[in-house]
Amino acid sequence: MTKTNSTIFHFAIIFMLILEIKIQLSDKSEILVDRSKRGLIHVPKDLSLETTILDISQNDISELRTSDILSLSKLRILRISHNRIQYLDMSVFKFNQELEYLDLSHNKLEKISCHPTVNLKHLDLSFNAFDALPICKEFGNMSQLEFLGLSATQLQKSKVLSIAHLHINKVLLVLGDLYREKEDPESLQDLNTESLHIVFPTGKEFNFILDVSVSTAVSLELSNIKCVLEEHGCSYFLHVLSKLQKNSRLSSLTLNNIETTWNSFIMMFQLVWHTSIEYFSILNVKLQGQLQVRDFYYPDTSLKALSIYQVVSNMFSLSQSYIYKIFANMKIQNFTVSGTQMVHMVCPSQMSPFLHLDFSNNLLTDMVFNNCETLTRLETLSLQKNELKKLANIVHMTKEMKSLKQLDISQNSLSYDENEGYCSWTISLLTLNMSSNILTDSVFRCLPPRVKVLDLHNNRITTIPENVTSLEALQELNVASNSLAHLPGCGTFSSLSVLIIDYNSISNPSAHFFQSCQKIRSINAGNNPFQCTCELREFIQSIGQVSSEVVEGWPDSYKCDYPGSYKGTLLKDFHVSPLSCNTALLIVTIGITGLLLAIAVTVLCIYFDLPWYLRMMCQWTQTRHRARNISLDKLQRTLQFHAFISYSGHDSGWVRNELLPNLEKEGIRICLHERNFVPGKSIVENIINCIEKSYKSIFVLSPNFVQSEWCHYELYFAHHNLLHEGSNNLILILLEPIPKYSIPKSYHKLKTLMAQRTYLEWPKEKNKHGLFWANLRASICIKLMDQTKEIEHIFI
Ligand SMILES: *[C@@H]1O[C@H](CO)[C@@H](O)[C@H](O)[C@H]1NC(C)=O
Ligand SMILES: *[C@@H]1O[C@H](CO)[C@@H](O)[C@H](O)[C@H]1NC(C)=O
Ligand SMILES: *[C@@H]1O[C@H](CO)[C@@H](O)[C@H](O)[C@H]1NC(C)=O
Ligand SMILES: *[C@@H]1O[C@H](CO)[C@@H](O)[C@H](O)[C@H]1NC(C)=O
């Protein structure tokens, strides 16, 4: 049991170790050092030891030594092409065990010394000055070799044999300028490769007898074929092509950089026609000479796709229709003619198997395939970058193309005039590219009804008319780089999922876009001159509500263009308060604020007796004002007390417990006739004495007060005080409300004072007492002379 457990444990550890090593292997990060085009004459010495990719191509390095790269033990890729190296010893790489990609092409190598190097996958020795093939016996052990680039002026079977057992993907064989077939013209048959590219010497008439048909390659490319001399008639090269008929493996042939005559050119097609080749491409062609009209023999071909790119011809007096006829009647699926001066293409004379035609970048006019009824299988047609002018003609052209799904007529000068005949596209059309033309709004009246993808970018469209025939299948619409002022709704394009409308003149996009376009998956509306005002806010909000992947280029390509103060601000960062944008909201807000204020005032009045507070404040300020007007000196000289207090004996409890403590604690001197009694004087004299020495006289009014005789006298005396005439020196405190009827008739003085309401009301609520006392103190506060001594003398 224990033993089994520990075994499992050990396995687990080993497993984890293996896992870790694997992770490290797969996780190895590349360190790229690029020192190309620096005019270097040596391999730089300051390279990081961790370097995995080193590019020192296009320099002037003439030597590669072990010490140069010895320490770069992690080197995987080394590019030294386009230098001046003449000699190479393969043993310099003996310490670079990781090296798998070595590019030594375009040097001046004449000789290499051999040394085992097993890990190379890519070895390029092409475009060098080798005489014999630079193949070492040791190459035979490079079982991982995928690409081998060679150059030589002679091919020897013996050299090739040492790598015959390898399965190489691609071999590039560059034949030097001095190339002559000295030895074995069949030396290619031992090159075991999928794809073979032979580069013949440039600028040399083709007079080789190399048999390429013996090659094992499925794909063959031949570059630099020049045969312009009339006496040979390109016979050497045509002979090479004719031999390909023996090779049934070959399926793809590319001829690159050809200079020949029209007759030889047509002959090449005829020869390839009867081989096993399915894909034939021919590019960079220079043609001359006259063309003899001969029949093209069509039957028995494997050809599926023919592509012709970049053809120039120095003869224009050719029977062009003959050439067009040869091509138009080819029974193949794909046909491309691009970058030629082709001005026309005729309609195939019988039902054509063409599926894909690419005639981009030529000089075709509207007359191409006019009234052509034999292209009913055609699925894609590109007429990009030609001389097309009238859309109506192109619409008419498609009429009989019953299978046409994709049409590219971009980069022409197409316009559409509604009055020019009626518009009936082939119903099968699904993808239509009309970008980079001069189409206007009217184009929306002439669109294929089932179109799914429509490219109209870079035209002259200003609006998408509302009443266009509905395009229910339309999924992708590109109207970028036009002059549209509005974001269209999806009313007529109910399936729209991709809209590209950047670089237009949209300033106020509608916020209802996303409501209208429910199926939208992607919209690009960036780089428009957005007007950052209140209206835009809703659009920005509506963007915020959709997923961020939907809005392409957000937020970087959405910027304010107007007003000036916001120019360049990202829409994302543009904020205005909701209030300033909504008049109704503004009015409602003001209304509500007013109402709340009114309610607050009412509450304050009802529950907190605001008017009482206001009256108190008012009296307080008046008192302060009055106090300032009296000549202080005069007062201060005669006065000993701040206030004399008159009250009924029934209210004495309040006076002693509330009034006195609250006033005297602030240092206010109070004169009470019974407390500050001067012996030997009558009560009346004492009262008068008190009144005269006090700044103010306080009367505590209550129903009790009214009943008291004494109090009445005191009021009378106080009122007629010699010092301060009038009632300025009187302070009335209404302790309890006094019903008017209870005041006796003779108390007319009290009645008038009460009527003037110049009294302080004693508040029942505790929280108001503070203010009451403050107010009272303020009205009797005056700075008195320090007459303490005199007081003592009088009272004690
Ligand atoms: C190739 O490798 C084998 C075994 O690994 C070895 O015996 C042989 O000598 C090598 N050949 C060359 C040419 O290096
Ligand atoms: C023909 O062209 C179409 C479209 O370019 C391509 O998808 C297809 O693979 C081509 N067929 C052949 C046989 O080359
Ligand atoms: C339309 O053609 C232009 C080139 O003229 C190309 O850039 C664009 O991608 C094409 N549009 C579509 C939808 O394929
Ligand atoms: C669409 O509206 C335009 C102008 O608004 C008008 O000239 C045209 O006749 C209308 N087309 C249809 C099909 O209703």
Side-chain angles (χ1 to χ4, degrees):
M1 187 69 183
T2 350
K3 206 179 169 193
T4 331
N5 267 353
S6 79
T7 320
I8 290 174
F9 181 68
H10 280 127
F11 268 126
I13 285 186
I14 290 165
F15 180 68
M16 276 160 69
L17 281 174
I18 291 171
L19 210 66
E20 204 173 286
I21 290 162
K22 277 226 169 121
I23 288 166
Q24 279 175 355
L25 282 179
S26 64
D27 196 25
K28 66 182 166 198
S29 51
E30 301 287 6
I31 298 190
L32 167 73
V33 177
D34 184 355
R35 300 282 173 87
S36 59
K37 301 186 202 166
R38 307 281 170 97
L40 300 174
I41 53 171
H42 297 293
V43 178
K45 300 269 180 240
D46 59 339
L47 301 170
S48 158
L49 301 185
E50 302 293 311
T51 305
T52 58
I53 303 177
L54 176 60
D55 188 349
I56 43 174
S57 60
Q58 308 193 57
N59 283 298
D60 281 321
I61 299 168
S62 55
E63 207 180 2
L64 189 63
R65 291 164 307 183
T66 313
S67 57
D68 290 334
I69 51 168
L70 168 70
S71 54
L72 306 178
S73 60
K74 306 218 167 132
L75 195 64
R76 274 199 325 110
I77 296 180
L78 178 58
R79 298 179 202 273
I80 339 177
S81 60
H82 295 273
N83 275 287
R84 297 145 65 76
I85 300 172
Q86 292 186 341
Y87 169 74
L88 178 73
D89 184 350
M90 289 299 278
S91 71
V92 299
F93 304 112
K94 63 176 174 259
F95 298 107
N96 309 103
Q97 287 301 312
E98 302 283 317
L99 192 67
E100 55 188 39
Y101 186 109
L102 178 59
D103 184 358
L104 277 159
S105 64
H106 297 275
N107 274 282
K108 300 204 164 9
L109 287 171
E110 288 167 6
K111 207 165 169 286
I112 58 171
S113 302
C114 297
H115 189 269
T117 41
V118 287
N119 292 330
L120 285 179
K121 290 181 179 161
H122 182 109
L123 174 60
D124 196 348
L125 299 168
S126 63
F127 297 99
N128 274 292
F130 294 112
D131 186 27
L133 280 170
I135 300 177
C136 297
K137 282 198 196 69
E138 286 81 356
F139 288 6
N141 275 7
M142 297 196 288
S143 56
Q144 302 181 47
L145 199 62
E146 289 166 4
F147 175 91
L148 179 61
L150 301 167
S151 56
T153 59
Q154 51 178 305
L155 305 177
Q156 298 128 305
K157 201 177 171 70
S158 56
K159 289 260 181 184
V160 180
L161 272 176
S162 57
I163 54 167
H165 59 282
L166 298 178
H167 298 283
I168 309 174
N169 280 351
K170 178 162 186 178
V171 172
L172 167 63
L173 177 58
V174 179
L175 301 174
D177 285 344
L178 301 172
Y179 171 67
R180 274 154 290 114
E181 276 155 284
K182 286 186 202 148
E183 287 188 16
D184 188 352
E186 293 197 352
S187 50
L188 291 177
Q189 87 186 37
D190 297 312
L191 264 184
N192 191 354
T193 179
E194 284 281 301
S195 165
L196 176 62
H197 181 183
I198 301 175
V199 179
F200 290 98
T202 41
K204 238 176 133 186
E205 194 72 9
F206 192 99
N207 50 13
F208 314 113
I209 50 162
L210 187 69
D211 189 357
V212 292
S213 69
V214 298
S215 165
T216 60
V218 177
S219 164
L220 180 65
E221 180 171 350
L222 304 174
S223 295
N224 301 340
I225 294 138
K226 182 178 176 185
C227 44
V228 287
L229 298 177
E230 283 300 324
E231 65 261 38
H232 290 290
C234 210
S235 57
Y236 284 97
F237 184 65
L238 294 179
H239 182 68
V240 166
L241 282 187
S242 68
K243 280 191 161 183
L244 291 179
Q245 290 172 12
K246 295 187 299 182
N247 180 336
S248 58
R249 281 184 302 272
L250 200 61
S251 88
S252 162
L253 176 66
T254 302
L255 304 180
N256 185 8
N257 207 5
I258 302 171
E259 211 180 323
T260 188
T261 58
W262 271 104
N263 279 331
S264 308
F265 186 60
I266 299 296
M267 201 56 198
M268 287 176 200
F269 292 107
Q270 185 70 82
L271 287 172
V272 170
W273 199 254
H274 301 295
T275 63
S276 59
I277 292 165
E278 295 177 354
Y279 307 93
F280 184 27
S281 302
I282 183 160
L283 43 149
N284 300 313
V285 187
K286 242 192 218 165
L287 294 177
Q288 51 179 275
Q290 291 297 331
L291 183 59
Q292 291 157 1
V293 176
R294 261 188 251 157
D295 282 343
F296 196 88
Y297 185 65
Y298 286 107
D300 308 324
T301 188
S302 312
L303 203 64
K304 289 183 183 156
L306 171 60
S307 306
I308 303 170
Y309 300 97
Q310 309 298 335
V311 178
V312 288
S313 165
N314 61 359
M315 295 302 287
F316 299 100
S317 55
L318 288 172
S319 158
Q320 292 191 9
S321 61
Y322 165 66
I323 301 166
Y324 300 143
K325 228 189 269 166
I326 289 177
F327 289 123
N329 289 315
M330 286 182 169
K331 302 259 186 280
I332 55 179
Q333 290 174 11
N334 286 19
F335 182 39
T336 300
V337 180
S338 179
T340 73
Q341 290 141 339
M342 179 166 77
V343 292
H344 191 57
M345 180 50 70
V346 295
C347 182
S349 54
Q350 293 160 350
M351 269 312 160
S352 169
F354 283 143
L355 290 180
H356 307 282
L357 290 179
D358 179 356
F359 294 157
S360 58
N361 200 5
N362 291 298
L363 302 173
L364 297 172
T365 65
D366 300 0
M367 289 302 108
V368 66
F369 295 140
N370 191 18
N371 285 325
C372 183
E373 298 180 356
T374 51
L375 289 169
T376 50
R377 292 203 207 152
L378 191 63
E379 289 178 7
T380 64
L381 173 60
S382 173
L383 298 173
Q384 184 188 104
K385 210 172 180 196
N386 275 283
E387 301 282 316
L388 310 181
K389 296 235 154 56
K390 290 194 170 157
L391 186 63
N393 290 338
I394 304 304
V395 174
H396 183 71
M397 172 197 80
T398 68
K399 213 176 116 200
E400 296 296 328
M401 298 179 175
K402 304 239 184 289
S403 311
L404 190 67
K405 294 198 183 85
Q406 273 185 45
L407 177 63
D408 185 347
I409 44 176
S410 62
Q411 301 186 57
N412 281 283
S413 314
L414 286 166
S415 62
Y416 177 64
D417 182 350
E418 284 173 82
N419 305 322
E420 251 168 43
Y422 91 130
C423 169
S424 68
W425 287 96
T426 175
I427 201 125
S428 57
L429 206 56
L430 301 179
T431 303
L432 178 57
N433 194 341
M434 300 199 279
S435 61
S436 303
N437 280 291
I438 49 173
L439 296 161
T440 58
D441 305 357
S442 63
V443 72
F444 282 94
R445 312 220 176 282
C446 182
L447 292 173
R450 292 196 200 154
V451 71
K452 284 185 177 167
V453 179
L454 183 58
D455 193 339
L456 279 167
H457 84 260
N458 195 16
N459 276 285
R460 298 182 183 169
I461 301 166
T462 56
T463 51
I464 298 180
E466 292 286 335
N467 58 358
V468 296
T469 42
S470 69
L471 296 172
E472 272 154 28
L474 190 65
Q475 292 171 357
E476 287 186 41
L477 176 62
N478 185 345
V479 281
S481 304
N482 279 283
S483 308
L484 288 160
H486 300 287
L487 208 54
C490 291
T492 40
F493 321 119
S494 51
S495 308
L496 197 67
S497 72
V498 176
L499 176 64
I500 306 169
I501 193 164
D502 51 342
Y503 294 101
N504 274 279
S505 310
I506 301 172
S507 53
N508 274 321
S510 154
H512 301 299
F513 175 79
F514 292 102
Q515 279 166 18
S516 155
C517 302
Q518 292 284 343
K519 295 198 180 149
I520 209 84
R521 208 162 29 77
S522 160
I523 174 175
N524 184 349
N527 296 297
N528 274 293
F530 293 109
Q531 239 179 38
C532 286
T533 55
C534 286
E535 288 86 72
L536 197 68
R537 237 168 24 98
E538 286 177 46
F539 176 71
I540 298 173
Q541 275 168 4
S542 69
I543 281 188
Q545 281 155 12
V546 297
S547 142
S548 61
E549 289 126 53
V550 170
V551 187
E552 298 285 332
W554 180 267
D556 295 342
S557 40
Y558 297 75
K559 291 182 186 153
C560 300
D561 187 62
Y562 176 91
S565 56
Y566 281 113
K567 201 176 169 86
T569 308
L570 292 182
L571 255 54
K572 174 178 74 96
D573 301 327
F574 168 68
H575 301 291
V576 279
S577 71
L579 201 58
S580 56
C581 286
N582 192 333
T583 341
L585 194 61
L586 191 65
I587 291 169
V588 167
T589 312
I590 291 174
I592 288 178
T593 316
L595 196 65
L596 284 178
L597 213 62
I599 290 173
V601 168
T602 316
V603 167
L604 281 175
C605 288
I606 292 173
Y607 292 98
F608 300 101
D609 208 356
L610 187 71
W612 182 88
Y613 280 103
L614 289 177
R615 261 199 325 273
M616 279 308 219
M617 299 300 286
C618 186
Q619 280 176 7
W620 188 65
T621 28
Q622 278 175 9
T623 322
R624 300 301 297 256
H625 182 67
R626 250 185 265 130
R628 240 179 282 137
N629 290 344
I630 296 169
S631 151
L632 276 171
D633 300 354
K634 199 173 148 201
L635 278 173
Q636 283 166 346
R637 249 177 280 121
T638 49
L639 296 178
Q640 289 175 11
F641 301 99
H642 287 97
F644 158 73
I645 297 180
S646 163
Y647 57 94
S648 147
H650 295 280
D651 298 326
S652 63
W654 180 79
V655 171
R656 286 176 198 286
N657 299 331
E658 297 272 356
L659 186 65
L660 289 181
N662 270 299
L663 294 182
E664 290 186 330
K665 78 172 177 206
E666 301 286 325
I668 289 173
R669 296 189 214 137
I670 301 290
C671 186
L672 291 182
H673 63 83
E674 70 268 33
R675 189 174 70 180
N676 306 100
F677 193 80
V678 182
K681 284 192 179 182
S682 72
I683 295 178
V684 176
E685 277 173 322
N686 265 310
I687 289 173
I688 291 174
N689 185 36
C690 242
I691 289 175
E692 280 181 354
K693 291 197 165 137
S694 296
Y695 173 43
K696 297 269 163 150
S697 300
I698 299 174
F699 291 83
V700 180
L701 305 182
S702 72
N704 305 324
F705 182 89
V706 179
Q707 305 304 320
S708 159
E709 281 282 309
W710 274 118
C711 292
H712 190 220
Y713 287 128
E714 286 172 351
L715 186 63
Y716 180 82
F717 295 139
H719 195 227
H720 293 96
N721 183 358
L722 291 174
L723 258 171
H724 354 269
E725 282 299 317
S727 53
N728 266 357
N729 62 330
L730 299 184
I731 295 175
L732 307 184
I733 296 176
L734 191 61
L735 192 60
E736 280 171 50
I738 308 170
K740 249 197 184 144
Y741 58 84
S742 69
I743 305 176
K745 277 223 171 67
S746 53
Y747 289 24
H748 56 267
K749 183 68 218 164
L750 183 60
K751 271 189 176 167
T752 27
L753 286 173
M754 293 285 286
Q756 283 167 1
R757 304 187 108 252
T758 53
Y759 47 79
L760 294 167
E761 264 174 88
W762 169 246
K764 293 274 173 294
E765 300 88 343
K766 256 227 156 96
N767 56 346
K768 292 179 182 171
H769 290 179
L771 187 55
F772 175 86
W773 295 125
N775 212 347
L776 183 60
R777 280 195 295 268
S779 54
I780 57 178
C781 199
I782 185 170
K783 203 172 171 229
L784 301 180
M785 291 278 186
D786 196 6
Q787 294 170 329
T788 338
K789 273 185 193 146
E790 199 185 330
I791 293 168
E792 273 167 10
H793 166 74
I794 295 170
F795 292 107
I796 297 168

